[in-house]
Amino acid sequence: MDNRIHGGLAILKSFKIEIDTYLLQQPVRFDYLGVCLIRKGTLKLSLNFIEHTLSQDTIYFLSPMVVMQILDCSEDIEMHTMFTDFDFFQKMTLPVYKAYSMEKLGREYETILLLDSRESSRFYEYFNNLEHQNTSREDLMFRMEIIKMTLMLLFYEISAKISGNLDKTHTGFEHKNRTVMEFLNLVSFNFKATRSVQYYADQLFISRKHLSRIVKEVTGKTPKAIIEEIVISEAVILLNVSSMSIKDVMGELNFSDFGTFSKFFKNMVGKSPLLYRKQLDKNEF
């Protein structure tokens, strides 16, 4: 990671030892866009608390809307993950909203994508090329141009693979997707401070009604539901993997009192934060 030339891009290779050491059993949510390619072996994981067993030549997507928890993996697992942040795409002048729209990130059935062997090999080469360009200390000619072109190829291939499910004929499709990407970017950085849909509409210089309509149209979810999903995902992660007290978690997520936090948590998870933490301590799940 320290060898990266551009901080907004990272390519990680994970084998069983890395997964067992750093990822196994811990739910995590990333403030980045991620594409994970399973090159070999099988991986058992949950995405937004729904379990999946993924095999060779599968990719899955990560975003601030997705909580991932790896549960198990085969001895021969080989996983390649690319992380990018929103600002990186802007610096590269890449229209990420075209290739990485919220349809892929907000709907479980499009979070996972099966590839044929040729597609998997191409994506694997894209990842290798990006890693080489972004970590080599050599004075590589046209480094930025190559990174940009490789990313364009990768994301447009992904988009083409999925685009049969998307209605791109109606007026304003690209603008709506761009607005939803901007909304999600804002939420990923500000959800701990505010859960107000009006705040995000104001930041985007559009009405709350307009924001609600286009977010619902693109993702199938309301802005309020998306914000709450990210907040509860963070709460679950903090209760699972940190030594923070429930009161500390409540404060971290900017809830004014315990009763409000407890009611919110129970509505989303089905049990109170006290019961949830107690069951964790007893290793009951």
Side-chain angles (χ1 to χ4, degrees):
M1 296 288 282
D2 293 337
N3 293 327
R4 288 180 296 166
I5 307 300
H6 304 290
L9 173 67
I11 310 293
L12 308 176
K13 295 180 180 178
S14 303
F15 300 94
K16 184 170 176 58
I17 187 170
E18 288 87 6
I19 292 173
D20 286 348
T21 303
Y22 299 109
L23 293 174
L24 197 64
Q25 300 297 336
Q26 294 188 353
V28 291
R29 183 189 60 79
F30 299 97
D31 292 327
Y32 309 99
L33 302 176
V35 180
C36 304
L37 169 65
I38 300 176
R39 185 66 175 161
K40 295 180 182 178
T42 58
L43 184 73
K44 184 178 180 181
L45 79 169
S46 72
L47 298 172
N48 286 340
F49 311 106
I50 298 174
E51 290 190 11
H52 306 272
T53 299
L54 308 183
S55 57
Q56 179 177 316
D57 300 333
T58 302
I59 61 173
Y60 61 95
F61 303 99
L62 298 172
S63 78
M65 292 177 67
V66 177
V67 175
M68 179 191 75
Q69 182 176 2
I70 293 182
L71 305 172
D72 198 6
C73 63
S74 62
E75 294 291 334
D76 61 340
I77 187 70
E78 180 183 324
M79 182 170 67
H80 301 261
T81 306
M82 181 185 74
F83 284 115
T84 58
D85 62 28
F86 291 87
D87 290 340
F88 182 77
F89 278 92
Q90 294 175 357
K91 292 174 186 175
M92 298 289 289
T93 64
L94 283 170
V96 63
Y97 62 89
K98 287 186 177 180
Y100 215 109
S101 60
M102 289 302 96
E103 286 90 344
K104 304 173 191 64
L105 304 179
R107 299 177 183 176
E108 183 272 331
Y109 64 85
E110 286 183 335
T111 304
I112 298 168
L113 190 60
L114 301 179
L115 307 174
D116 62 37
S117 59
R118 290 177 299 175
E119 291 167 334
S120 179
S121 295
R122 281 200 306 276
F123 289 1
Y124 175 68
E125 292 304 321
Y126 291 153
F127 279 31
N128 282 340
N129 188 34
L130 287 168
E131 181 183 33
H132 173 67
Q133 294 293 331
N134 204 35
T135 59
S136 175
R137 291 297 172 182
E138 300 175 21
D139 187 18
L140 300 177
M141 185 175 290
F142 306 119
R143 182 196 301 268
M144 288 299 293
E145 289 80 3
I146 294 171
I147 289 176
K148 181 175 179 178
M149 291 300 106
T150 304
L151 284 171
M152 286 182 67
L153 287 170
L154 173 61
F155 278 104
Y156 278 108
E157 281 209 44
I158 291 172
S159 184
K161 183 77 175 176
I162 300 177
S163 61
N165 296 330
L166 308 181
D167 177 12
K168 296 184 286 186
T169 60
H170 60 273
T171 303
F173 176 84
E174 292 186 358
H175 176 71
K176 291 173 183 176
N177 274 276
R178 180 168 62 237
T179 300
V180 173
M181 290 296 291
E182 291 170 352
F183 165 70
L184 182 60
N185 190 26
L186 282 171
V187 174
S188 69
F189 285 104
N190 296 284
F191 72 90
K192 291 182 180 180
T194 179
R195 297 179 293 280
S196 166
V197 176
Q198 186 63 56
Y199 168 84
Y200 296 105
D202 291 344
Q203 294 298 305
L204 294 168
F205 303 103
I206 58 178
S207 70
R208 174 173 176 161
K209 183 177 180 180
H210 182 59
L211 176 63
S212 297
R213 181 173 61 80
I214 61 175
V215 170
K216 177 72 172 178
E217 183 178 332
V218 170
T219 69
K221 301 178 181 179
T222 66
K224 182 176 183 290
I226 289 174
I227 296 166
E228 289 180 345
E229 284 182 4
I230 293 176
V231 171
I232 197 62
S233 297
E234 187 76 2
V236 168
I237 289 168
L238 292 175
L239 289 172
N240 269 272
V241 301
S242 77
S243 58
M244 296 172 67
S245 67
I246 295 175
K247 184 178 180 180
D248 290 338
V249 172
M250 179 190 79
E252 178 77 8
L253 298 176
N254 200 28
F255 282 84
S256 58
D257 60 82
F258 181 79
T260 302
F261 176 64
S262 182
K263 182 179 180 181
F264 170 79
F265 193 96
K266 188 171 183 179
N267 286 340
M268 298 293 289
V269 178
K271 61 189 71 176
S272 71
L274 286 170
L275 179 58
Y276 186 85
R277 173 57 69 82
K278 186 180 296 185
Q279 289 180 326
L280 283 176
D281 292 340
K282 291 181 178 180
N283 295 317
E284 290 182 1
F285 67 105

